[in-house]
Amino acid sequence: MTQVTNPDPIRTPHRTSQQFPHNNFTSHSDLAFNFNQITSQPNLEIIQINLGKTKAATDILEETADVYQPDFFLVQKPHVSKERIQGIPKSWNVQSSTSMKATIFTPKTSHKTTLLAIKSNTVAIKVQSATGPITLISSYSSPYSNLGETLQEITDIITSLRGEKIIICADLNGHHNLWGYKNKNTRGETILDFILANSLFLINKSGAPPTFHTPRAEGWPDLTLCTQELINTVDSWDVTKGKPNERLQRKLIYKKERSKYISTIRRDKVSGWKNFCTKASNTYGKQYKAAFRKSITPSQLVALENEDPKGGQLAAANNILRQLYPDPPANNTPTTLQPATDNDPPFTESEVSDIIRHLPKGKAPGYDGIDNIVVQQINKKFPSLLLSLFNRCLTLGLYPDPFKIGNIVLFLKPGKIYNEVSSYRPIALLPSIAKVLEKLMTRRLVYHLERS
């Protein structure tokens, strides 16, 4: 048998050949099925393979089809990118579960198939063979997911097809010595109970090579099952053997080249962004908009539902702010209280410098346009300037009103209605200098709370 190689982690393709004698067959399924007079060839070739979500494994799938000429690929964990299965020839027919972890590929356009079921982790089709319809089921269950849900999906399909020919290719990640493992686990026992309860036949050969292997582990998670109607018609079931040394070498080359590629992309992204920002002539120009393109800028304000749509942008903004931040109730309690403790000592230069030095870079500035980098440079050149300001605030027991003014930026929550205020997440951009004073006061408060 010609060998097929896959990159690690490896799921070896299984070749399941079904041979059906020519005779008349009438479908008695309760499910809708379009009967076709054109029948498939007597031998039905099926390859089961787990692609491990890798592009490298998917790239050799077409080559595998050329070598073995299979009628169907029953695939688990195909390569998915941008919510689509990638790397499959456009001429192939593709049916997938909703999670895209179980798929059926039909390389030959001559086959007449009918889609039976699409479930979360399972997909099923019917194919017209020489002797009548056969149902093919591909299913996958992660070792960390609820196995019962996947088994129930398969059960729902085969229950409606009692007495018909069914082939199930599933990667269920269960251990049992009946299909190659030296040990048993709970998942394996559950799978065996499922097989017995549904009168299924395990096609896997005893002593077959592992279908999953890495340099440190191997396993037999891939199972091929069929109903009793197909027990005597299964011609062969084999595990193709690859060349581990070649696979390992390709994997190492792939990792090395991928690392170079990622480093190059990351370096060029940083360099390109720096060049883009260096050319900025307007503080709030296209560079600013590129950094905050998801924010709700004044030109993106909307008229809220149940609000008067009349008026300009200022009226729309006031409507939003009024609902987000309603006026507090009237309170006659004095706003200042006489302290019961001695006054705090003044802030020290090292105390202020430590907080300013650890301010994160890249944060958006407040309405004054002074960001954290500017504050750091000011403190570096004139360390006594900000120190005097903060100590004066401490002496007066005052948090300046300008420090309380912020730009409100709104982010629309995914999938929410645009004209409802609850659909937005508000962010208040406060002055960076105000944040330094806030951090200084917080440190002092934490000190007193931990000491008392």
Side-chain angles (χ1 to χ4, degrees):
M1 182 181 292
T2 305
Q3 295 175 335
V4 178
T5 58
N6 298 317
D8 291 322
I10 303 146
R11 290 297 170 88
T12 310
H14 309 173
R15 300 181 65 242
T16 306
S17 175
Q18 310 290 337
Q19 185 172 8
F20 308 101
H22 290 279
N23 55 21
N24 295 324
F25 185 88
T26 303
S27 173
H28 297 288
S29 171
D30 293 333
L31 299 177
F33 179 71
N34 296 325
F35 181 82
N36 297 280
Q37 294 295 333
I38 301 175
T39 58
S40 302
Q41 57 190 16
N43 289 341
L44 194 63
E45 297 282 342
I46 299 172
I47 289 182
Q48 177 185 1
I49 182 171
N50 186 310
L51 297 177
K53 299 189 293 186
T54 62
K55 182 179 182 297
T58 305
D59 288 342
I60 66 169
L61 203 59
E62 189 171 7
E63 178 185 344
T64 304
D66 292 337
V67 173
Y68 291 110
Q69 294 294 313
D71 298 282
F72 298 95
F73 283 100
L74 272 66
V75 178
Q76 290 80 45
K77 296 176 70 176
H79 173 53
V80 177
S81 178
K82 298 180 180 179
E83 299 183 353
R84 293 186 63 183
I85 297 174
Q86 304 290 341
I88 305 303
K90 293 183 179 179
S91 60
W92 291 15
N93 188 21
V94 178
Q95 302 293 351
S96 171
S97 64
T98 55
S99 66
M100 297 188 186
K101 294 182 179 179
T103 57
I104 299 177
F105 300 153
T106 309
K108 298 180 180 179
T109 57
S110 59
H111 284 297
K112 306 301 179 182
T113 62
T114 298
L115 179 62
L116 289 186
I118 295 179
K119 298 181 180 293
S120 178
N121 301 304
T122 306
V123 61
I125 67 171
K126 261 189 181 180
V127 56
Q128 186 66 26
S129 72
T131 58
I134 298 175
T135 298
L136 304 181
I137 299 175
S138 177
S139 189
Y140 176 78
S141 178
S142 164
Y144 310 107
S145 65
N146 185 350
L147 175 62
E149 293 180 359
T150 303
L151 295 181
Q152 186 60 49
E153 292 177 357
I154 302 175
T155 301
D156 291 342
I157 297 173
I158 62 179
T159 300
S160 62
L161 301 170
R162 292 296 185 191
E164 292 202 0
K165 300 174 181 179
I166 302 173
I167 296 175
I168 304 170
C169 293
D171 180 355
L172 301 176
N173 287 289
H175 294 202
H176 203 285
N177 48 29
L178 283 181
W179 48 84
Y181 286 98
K182 296 181 181 179
N183 65 320
K184 305 177 185 178
N185 63 6
T186 304
R187 292 178 68 93
E189 294 286 359
T190 303
I191 295 170
L192 181 59
D193 292 340
F194 161 77
I195 294 173
L196 297 175
N198 291 278
S199 301
L200 298 174
F201 179 75
L202 179 65
I203 305 178
N204 294 52
K205 288 182 179 178
S206 177
T211 59
F212 168 80
H213 47 91
T214 68
R216 295 183 295 273
E218 62 180 19
W220 294 259
D222 305 294
L223 303 179
T224 308
L225 310 171
C226 72
T227 52
Q228 295 182 1
E229 291 75 16
L230 286 176
I231 292 177
N232 296 324
T233 60
V234 176
D235 184 55
S236 64
W237 184 94
D238 299 293
V239 177
T240 62
K241 296 181 180 179
K243 298 178 180 180
N245 291 335
E246 291 184 8
R247 287 195 299 271
L248 182 59
Q249 185 178 7
R250 284 202 309 273
K251 181 181 178 181
L252 294 175
I253 294 174
Y254 168 75
K255 281 189 171 182
K256 184 177 180 180
E257 294 300 323
R258 184 175 182 270
S259 178
K260 290 181 181 179
Y261 174 75
I262 292 175
S263 298
T264 302
I265 293 295
R266 190 173 297 162
R267 183 174 59 253
D268 289 346
K269 283 177 66 176
V270 172
S271 176
W273 178 249
K274 284 184 177 179
N275 293 334
F276 179 64
C277 293
T278 302
K279 299 176 182 178
S281 57
N282 180 5
T283 304
Y284 297 101
K286 59 183 180 181
Q287 286 80 3
Y288 177 85
K289 293 177 181 178
F292 300 98
R293 57 183 175 270
K294 293 183 180 179
S295 63
I296 304 299
T297 59
S299 60
Q300 295 173 292
L301 290 173
V302 297
L304 296 178
E305 188 178 14
N306 299 326
E307 288 285 344
D308 188 357
K310 297 179 180 179
Q313 292 184 338
L314 181 60
N318 286 331
N319 288 337
I320 294 174
L321 289 176
R322 187 169 60 253
Q323 293 196 34
L324 286 174
Y325 308 104
D327 294 332
N331 189 355
N332 298 323
T333 305
T335 56
T336 57
L337 298 175
Q338 294 298 325
T341 59
D342 296 335
N343 292 334
D344 263 28
F347 297 121
T348 63
E349 184 176 322
S350 60
E351 193 175 2
V352 174
S353 297
D354 181 64
I355 287 179
I356 294 178
R357 185 170 61 252
H358 289 91
L359 289 175
K361 295 180 175 63
K363 294 294 184 179
Y367 69 93
D368 56 5
I370 301 175
D371 61 12
N372 291 342
I373 298 177
V374 175
V375 174
Q376 290 172 340
Q377 293 301 317
I378 292 175
N379 188 67
K380 184 177 180 180
K381 296 293 184 180
F382 310 100
S384 61
L385 181 62
L386 295 178
L387 176 63
S388 300
L389 171 63
F390 297 143
N391 278 328
R392 188 62 176 166
C393 293
L394 180 64
T395 302
L396 297 175
L398 177 68
Y399 193 83
D401 287 339
F403 285 6
K404 304 174 186 177
I405 301 175
N407 282 338
I408 305 299
V409 182
L410 302 179
F411 291 87
L412 181 63
K413 299 175 184 177
K416 298 295 184 178
I417 301 174
Y418 74 96
N419 60 354
E420 293 184 0
V421 71
S422 60
S423 300
Y424 294 90
R425 179 168 60 91
I427 300 295
L429 302 179
L430 297 170
S432 298
I433 297 177
K435 296 177 184 178
V436 177
L437 178 59
E438 180 183 343
K439 290 178 182 292
L440 287 168
M441 297 304 301
T442 301
R443 279 194 180 184
R444 291 290 178 93
L445 289 173
V446 170
Y447 168 76
H448 289 297
L449 291 172
E450 290 181 347
R451 189 182 65 171
S452 59

